[in-house]
Amino acid sequence: MANFPATLLNFLRQAERVTALTGAGVSQESGLRTFRDAQTGLWSQYKPEDLASPEAFARAPKLVWDWYAMRREKVRAVEPNPGHFALAEMGHRVPRFTLITQNVDGLHRKAFQTLKVSETFRVWKESPIIELHGNIQRVRCSECGMVADAWEENDDVPRCAGCGGMLRPDVVWFGESLPRSALEAAVEAARGCQVFLSIGTSGLVQPAAALAFAAHNKGAVVVEVNLEPTPLTEKADFFLQGKSGEVLPGLVKATW
Ligand code: BV8
Ligand code: ZN
């Protein structure tokens, strides 16, 4: 997508604060399956919602652990794509930027860490990234809550070194509340921005999906980037239909 509305470019150039919300679509061009995509192989008989829940872990801990181990392998094998890097560059261009992600793959963090913006390589005081649903590279003890990014693998579900409890991925499952501080920071970033971008998300999962509407209700310009319309599209001020890995670099290039 080459030409963008001049009004959109001006909104971005004039914005004091820009907030972006991303979903699985932004990692699709890195080669990771979205939640809407059907699962393949061994996992084709399961729906993600049926595995990403405390009930599933209670019922079949090894199955759930193995599903995350498979996904972690895939995440480790892929790199951020131009869409991730465009958002990292946007973060350097606007006075204040917050990136809220529903993704647990850590690819935004990797893009921010590896992006070198020639004239302004900003050293972030605190990371502009809010991982609303956690991060698959970390584990948490299901008993004592201890969080770790390394653990002893065994042929069963690994155990907590401290209390022997079963380890689980440090992500938010369906039916679990989001980390309070992350959700509060996300709501503040949605309500306090002039431009809110919703990128690669079907907008079906709450409370993340409500953030764009919170921004809209506070008068922010809402920009949606997606392959197809979503429940947000009719409310969005701009709907940029296309692949985020193509639309975002074009938008950043056209704006700055
Ligand atoms: C909560 C981490 C309070 C784990 C995730 C009924 C019963 C029980 C619960 C509920 C219910 N109704 C509502 C709820 C609440 C529930 C919910 O919203 N359910 C939905 C399914 C109806 N929410 C919760 O449970 C949340 N907690 O509400 O707490 C509470 C407490 C107790 C009891 C009840 C409530 C917790 C939600 C977090 C769940 N964890 N992830 C893991 O990853 O394994 S959610 C997970 O799915 C993702 O993180 C993401 O959020 C979501 C998938 O959405 P998307 O990211 O949008 O991905 P999706 O595949 O859907 O869409 C991709 C989009 O990209 C598409 O639009 C596509 O067109 C586009 N696209 C594809 N390729 C590209 C592209 N766009 C651009 N470029 C491309 N190349
Ligand atoms: Zn423990």
Side-chain angles (χ1 to χ4, degrees):
M1 186 169 186
N3 51 350
F4 297 92
T7 47
L8 168 57
L9 305 188
N10 287 331
F11 283 130
L12 281 168
R13 288 179 189 131
Q14 287 153 12
E16 221 1 75
R17 185 172 189 186
V18 172
T19 296
L21 169 74
T22 64
V26 84
S27 295
Q28 191 261 340
E29 290 156 86
S30 292
L32 293 182
R33 180 178 311 101
T34 71
F35 268 69
R36 296 304 119 213
D37 293 341
Q39 300 232 87
T40 56
L42 176 66
W43 303 103
S44 53
Q45 57 192 299
Y46 301 99
K47 287 210 316 273
E49 299 82 83
D50 301 336
L51 292 168
S53 78
E55 294 75 22
F57 188 64
R59 194 175 53 246
K62 182 80 171 83
L63 179 78
V64 172
W65 176 268
D66 287 348
W67 182 55
Y68 279 93
M70 177 276 289
R71 289 175 59 193
R72 200 178 297 118
E73 284 297 300
K74 289 207 184 310
V75 164
R76 285 204 178 125
V78 301
E79 291 303 322
N81 66 60
H84 293 107
F85 285 113
L87 286 168
E89 175 152 359
M90 189 184 288
H92 285 280
R93 302 282 186 192
V94 299
R96 206 165 156 214
F97 183 72
T98 307
L99 196 157
I100 306 162
T101 188
Q102 301 172 85
N103 301 336
V104 297
D105 55 34
L107 288 177
H108 286 300
R109 186 186 293 222
K110 215 166 169 182
F112 269 83
Q113 281 163 354
T114 49
L115 180 88
K116 290 271 179 296
V117 177
S118 50
E119 66 277 17
T120 62
F121 179 56
R122 183 186 297 177
V123 180
W124 297 94
K125 283 186 297 302
E126 94 257 2
S127 164
I129 301 169
I130 299 173
E131 293 180 326
L132 215 44
H133 294 158
N135 188 313
I136 199 170
Q137 310 276 15
R138 290 191 306 266
V139 293
R140 175 167 19 114
C141 173
S142 45
E143 301 297 329
C144 72
M146 178 277 300
V147 172
D149 50 16
W151 57 89
E152 278 289 302
E153 286 288 359
N154 58 28
D155 54 5
D156 200 341
V157 177
R159 294 284 169 163
C160 168
C163 77
M166 275 198 293
L167 295 183
R168 52 163 286 175
D170 189 23
V171 299
V172 180
W173 279 333
F174 286 100
E176 292 186 322
S177 303
L178 277 59
R180 255 170 71 82
S181 57
L183 184 54
E184 279 168 6
V187 171
E188 189 275 330
R191 295 165 63 87
C193 66
Q194 288 78 45
V195 179
F196 186 95
L197 299 119
S198 178
I199 304 158
T201 178
S202 56
L204 299 174
V205 172
Q206 295 300 348
L211 292 168
F213 294 89
H216 172 75
N217 294 340
K218 290 290 277 183
V221 170
V222 174
V223 185
E224 183 174 37
V225 179
N226 202 308
L227 294 178
E228 59 193 19
T230 72
L232 174 66
T233 309
E234 63 187 15
K235 275 271 185 324
D237 299 280
F238 299 93
F239 176 55
L240 308 178
Q241 187 154 20
K243 291 182 157 187
S244 51
E246 293 165 11
V247 169
L248 291 174
L251 180 63
V252 168
K253 196 160 169 306
T255 307
W256 291 285

